[in-house]
């Protein structure tokens, strides 16, 4: 077809290539190619059902749209277009002539169209992403189950704090991802609303049926106010925020795996497939995938900050600025989905060095709290007093170069007489037991605590929770299949009408 379908009336002439590239969204629009075809078809079905365009024209358009879908994004966008909406409409008019193809855009605008496409495509991306998140949760769950008894130091300030287990540690990460899952599900509810029918900003005088297109496209409801519908992008901000938080959680695991892979920690060895080496230092095994995961989180934050800045103080309704927001969304979606797959893959086969953890935990006096608790229980001391005595004991042991297992009742009494004026008179075995990491873990049976039986129970709850989330996700996936089916059925019904 000759020329630009939009530039034949009010303005003329072709844009110079530089302006063309500057104003076109065609590259990012690959994300909404399929969505746009669905949105086009649903709109046309509704136009026919409402008697706004002739049945034959509507069916011819739908048939061509299917063909354009089979052509694929690359072929459809071979010449330069302002965006995918113009590209598809141009191909349609090329094939059917303007008197037929030119009817598709009746009673709508690219403003409601693009908002609908983004929401439709995003919804499907979120479902895919939730599947990948669930996979990660399962990996963490099964790796936790393997390590219920693997005692390791728990850290605060990156200093030995109190003994925990590897299972408890991994389960902590699992819980943060469970919240991410819920957060994204919640965002989905506000993503999955239809702006279609809002037109440019003020709907249309044609008797369209907004509920029908919403239903055909599997939306749960409308973004009702037409001005809100075309200008709202808070569903993008919300998604970007959820993704930024999820990326944060991924970066925290990644950072731990970087630290743990070091000789200094020696708690983990990543699979070779997830590591790189050096071009000069032959001995190197670098945790590059995890380093990149740390850094990619920042990229996801950047997208959120960019989108917030673009939307801040933007007057109603549609402004072309909005076109710059959408690619930030797709970049975060793509980035976080790859982060999820990489972290899952690495965690699935990372080798945890539980022996190194066990050795480390016995060295750092991370059991000191338990000894203070013992003084409280056995000698009725106020915890603050016990805290002082044991603190002085640790300081003394360290200055004499003693390890926790070399501390006995005698040393405790020496210190306690000095700082408190009285001996504690505890048996060596009692002192030793309190300072034994596995004992410390065993007695922490409070709900949410690290004792192996407590964690086993917690993991059983998590297993059921994961099952529930999986069911929820299945139902969303099935809802998606139903969309294609419902649309095909609506088209089939129109075909029958034509034959009759
Ligand atoms: N490519 C545009 C976008 O992504 C589509 C809407 C264009 N609307 C307009 N009034 N120019 O926002």
């Amino acid at each position: 077809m000759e020329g630009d379908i939009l530039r034949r009336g009010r303005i003329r002439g072709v844009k110079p290539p530089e302006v063309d590239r500057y104003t076109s969204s065609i590259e990012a629009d690959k994300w909404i190619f399929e969505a746009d075809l669905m949105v086009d078809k649903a709109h046309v079905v509704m136009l026919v059902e409402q008697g706004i365009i002739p049945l034959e024209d509507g069916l011819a358009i739908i048939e061509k749209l299917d063909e354009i879908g089979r052509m694929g994004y690359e072929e459809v966008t071979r010449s330069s277009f302002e965006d995918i909406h113009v590209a598809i409409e141009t191909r349609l008019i090329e094939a059917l002539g303007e008197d037929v193809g030119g009817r598709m855009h009746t009673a709508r605008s690219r403003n409601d169209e693009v908002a609908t496409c983004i929401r439709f495509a995003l919804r499907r991306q979120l479902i895919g992403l939730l599947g990948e998140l669930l996979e990660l949760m399962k990996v963490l769950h099964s790796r936790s189950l393997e390590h219920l008894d693997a005692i390791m130091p728990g850290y605060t300030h990156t200093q030995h704090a109190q003994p925990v287990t590897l299972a408890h540690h991994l389960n902590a990460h699992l819980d943060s991802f469970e919240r991410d899952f819920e957060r994204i599900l919640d965002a989905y509810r506000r993503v999955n609303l239809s702006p279609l029918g809002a037109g440019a900003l003020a709907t249309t005088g044609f008797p369209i049926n907004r509920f029908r297109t919403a239903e055909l496209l599997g939306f749960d409801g409308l973004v009702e106010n037409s001005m809100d519908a075309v200008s709202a992008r808070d569903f993008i901000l919300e998604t970007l925020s959820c993704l930024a938080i999820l990326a944060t959680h991924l970066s925290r695991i990644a950072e731990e795996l970087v630290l743990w892979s070091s000789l200094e920690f020696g708690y983990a060895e990543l699979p070779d497939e997830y590591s790189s080496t050096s071009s000069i230092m032959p001995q190197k095994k670098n945790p590059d995938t995890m380093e990149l995961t740390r850094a990619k989180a920042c990229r996801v934050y950047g997208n959120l900050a960019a989108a917030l800045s673009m939307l801040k103080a933007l007057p109603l309704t549609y402004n072309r600025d909005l076109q710059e927001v959408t690619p930030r969304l797709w970049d975060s979606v793509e980035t976080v989905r790859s982060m999820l797959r990489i972290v899952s893959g690495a965690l699935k086969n990372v080798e945890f060095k539980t022996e190194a953890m066990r050795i480390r935990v016995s060295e750092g006096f991370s059991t000191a709290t338990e000894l203070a608790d013992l003084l409280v229980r056995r000698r009725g001391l106020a915890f603050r007093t016990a805290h002082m005595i044991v603190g002085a004991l640790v300081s003394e042991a360290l200055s004499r170069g003693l390890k926790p297992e070399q501390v006995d009742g005698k040393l405790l009494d020496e210190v306690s007489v000095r700082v408190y004026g009285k001996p504690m008179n505890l048996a060596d075995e009692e002192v030793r037991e309190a300072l034994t990491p596995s004992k410390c873990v065993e007695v922490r049976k409070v709900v949410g605590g690290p004792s192996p039986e407590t964690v086993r129970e917690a993991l059983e709850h998590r297993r059921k929770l994961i099952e529930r989330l999986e069911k929820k996700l299945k139902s969303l996936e099935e809802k998606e299949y139903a969309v294609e089916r419902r649309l095909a059925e609506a088209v089939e019904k129109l075909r029958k009408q034509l034959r009759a």
Side-chain angles (χ1 to χ4, degrees):
M1 200 187 55
E2 221 177 283
D4 185 318
I5 57 169
L6 302 185
R7 299 171 72 85
R8 301 175 299 167
R10 174 69 175 82
I11 54 174
R12 283 161 195 286
V14 282
K15 289 175 178 169
E18 168 100 56
V19 178
D20 199 40
R21 275 195 300 277
Y22 198 73
T23 51
S24 174
S25 60
I26 202 77
E27 218 182 289
D29 285 351
K30 67 170 184 287
W31 288 85
I32 56 169
F33 176 64
E34 312 281 344
D36 202 15
L37 291 167
M38 295 290 287
V39 169
D40 284 348
K41 279 192 266 184
H43 178 66
V44 170
V45 166
M46 182 276 295
L47 289 180
V48 171
E49 288 175 350
Q50 296 294 106
I52 298 170
I53 64 169
L55 178 60
E56 308 84 75
D57 293 358
L59 283 172
I61 292 172
I62 289 168
E63 207 165 293
K64 269 303 155 224
L65 287 170
D66 283 335
E67 246 171 66
I68 291 171
R70 285 191 291 275
M71 266 168 89
Y73 165 84
E74 294 297 331
E75 187 58 31
V76 171
T77 59
R78 203 164 282 287
S79 14
S80 85
F81 293 105
E82 191 168 295
D83 56 34
I84 196 65
H85 320 297
V86 176
I88 291 174
E89 192 181 335
T90 304
R91 297 300 181 210
L92 197 67
I93 293 173
E94 275 172 1
L96 296 176
E98 190 156 327
D99 194 44
V100 176
R103 291 182 193 278
M104 177 172 72
H105 209 57
T106 313
R108 84 172 178 188
S109 150
R110 281 183 296 166
N111 298 351
D112 59 341
E113 183 181 1
V114 73
T116 310
C117 292
I118 300 168
R119 288 170 182 268
F120 185 94
L122 175 57
R123 172 179 97 201
R124 294 191 163 180
Q125 286 296 328
L126 290 183
I127 290 173
L129 186 144
L130 286 175
E132 284 153 357
L133 181 52
L134 204 62
E135 174 61 24
L136 172 63
M137 290 166 66
K138 286 186 193 164
V139 171
L140 280 166
H141 188 272
S142 77
R143 301 286 347 234
S144 291
L145 265 182
E146 286 169 34
H147 296 294
L148 287 169
D149 298 306
I151 312 282
M152 68 177 290
Y155 295 84
T156 62
H157 312 266
T158 329
Q159 308 288 320
H160 283 211
Q162 292 177 352
V164 292
T165 65
L166 179 55
H168 195 50
H169 189 118
L170 295 176
N171 199 9
H173 285 298
L174 172 59
D175 283 4
S176 69
F177 290 122
E178 189 263 315
R179 290 191 295 278
D180 287 313
F181 195 102
E182 300 280 0
R183 220 178 332 262
I184 291 168
L185 268 186
D186 200 53
Y188 172 101
R189 295 198 301 125
R190 281 171 295 276
V191 167
N192 197 28
L193 299 172
S194 175
L196 200 60
L201 77 161
T203 70
T204 174
F206 288 103
I208 60 167
N209 183 349
R210 294 189 65 191
F211 293 108
R212 178 60 171 153
T213 43
E215 181 201 14
L216 282 171
L217 291 167
F219 286 107
D220 296 324
L222 301 184
V223 189
E224 187 187 310
N225 181 297
S226 63
M227 296 178 75
D228 181 35
V230 295
S231 58
R233 291 294 184 274
D234 51 294
F235 72 98
I236 293 187
L237 293 180
E238 197 174 344
T239 302
L240 285 172
S241 309
C242 291
L243 295 179
I245 298 171
L246 171 53
T248 304
H249 292 153
L250 289 164
S251 78
R252 294 180 81 170
I253 282 214
E255 167 67 0
E256 286 182 347
L257 287 174
V258 170
L259 282 176
W260 291 7
S261 304
S262 69
L263 183 64
E264 284 68 19
F265 273 86
Y267 290 176
E269 184 168 349
L270 283 176
D272 282 1
E273 297 87 326
Y274 287 82
S275 310
S276 306
T277 186
S278 155
S279 63
I280 174 172
M281 299 165 282
Q283 85 285 7
K284 288 285 250 150
K285 177 170 177 180
N286 297 327
D288 294 36
T289 49
M290 296 301 106
E291 299 166 70
L292 286 164
T293 301
R294 282 191 307 213
K296 281 179 195 283
C298 312
R299 174 173 173 159
V300 176
Y301 303 161
N303 289 332
L304 172 61
L308 282 166
S309 325
M310 289 174 207
L311 291 167
K312 178 196 169 285
L314 199 64
L316 297 187
T317 56
Y318 183 85
N319 295 275
R320 196 61 181 271
D321 310 44
L322 295 178
Q323 180 172 294
E324 283 292 308
V325 177
T326 321
R328 303 295 105 227
L329 172 67
W330 303 134
D331 187 76
S332 278
V333 165
E334 187 172 41
T335 304
V336 171
R337 290 190 67 172
S338 66
M339 289 166 77
L340 280 168
R341 291 191 298 269
I342 292 293
V343 172
S344 289
L347 276 172
K348 204 177 278 177
N349 291 311
V350 65
E351 186 189 342
F352 290 115
K353 312 267 191 185
T354 52
E355 184 55 17
M357 294 174 179
R358 202 187 54 71
I359 292 170
R360 282 282 166 276
V361 77
S362 68
E363 293 171 348
F365 284 97
S366 60
T367 50
T369 314
E370 187 56 27
L371 182 57
D373 290 349
L374 182 70
L375 302 191
V376 171
R377 280 197 289 266
R378 296 280 280 110
R379 293 294 169 254
L381 297 187
F383 178 77
R384 187 53 59 230
T385 312
H387 178 272
M388 181 243 335
I389 297 170
V390 176
L393 175 67
V394 170
S395 173
E396 184 63 32
L398 288 173
S399 71
R400 292 194 201 174
L402 298 177
K403 292 191 171 160
E405 71 256 29
Q406 294 169 304
V407 171
D408 54 15
K410 192 164 146 274
L411 184 63
L412 172 61
D413 285 344
E414 242 180 270
V415 172
S416 109
V417 166
R418 171 160 57 81
V419 300
Y420 177 64
K422 287 187 211 159
M424 291 294 113
N425 294 320
L426 291 178
D428 287 346
E429 302 84 80
E430 264 185 306
V431 173
R432 294 253 157 82
E433 188 174 286
L435 290 174
T436 303
S438 58
K439 285 281 176 267
C440 289
V441 166
E442 233 166 72
V443 299
R444 280 167 171 67
K445 295 186 210 291
V446 175
V447 59
S451 96
E453 58 183 287
T454 311
V455 176
R456 186 189 297 285
E457 246 172 70
L459 283 171
E460 183 50 24
H461 287 138
R462 304 300 180 276
R463 189 186 62 75
K464 288 188 189 133
L465 179 65
I466 288 173
E467 252 173 45
R468 268 207 305 284
L469 296 178
E470 195 158 34
K471 273 208 193 97
K472 173 79 201 162
L473 185 56
K474 271 260 144 42
S475 78
L476 292 182
E477 283 166 357
E478 269 151 26
K479 217 167 114 182
E480 290 306 320
Y481 303 137
V483 171
E484 332 281 322
R485 227 182 303 125
R486 203 176 312 119
L487 197 53
E489 276 165 21
V491 172
E492 197 38 51
K493 213 164 145 199
L494 296 182
R495 286 206 183 103
K496 274 199 191 119
Q497 256 179 54
L498 184 69
R499 286 196 294 267

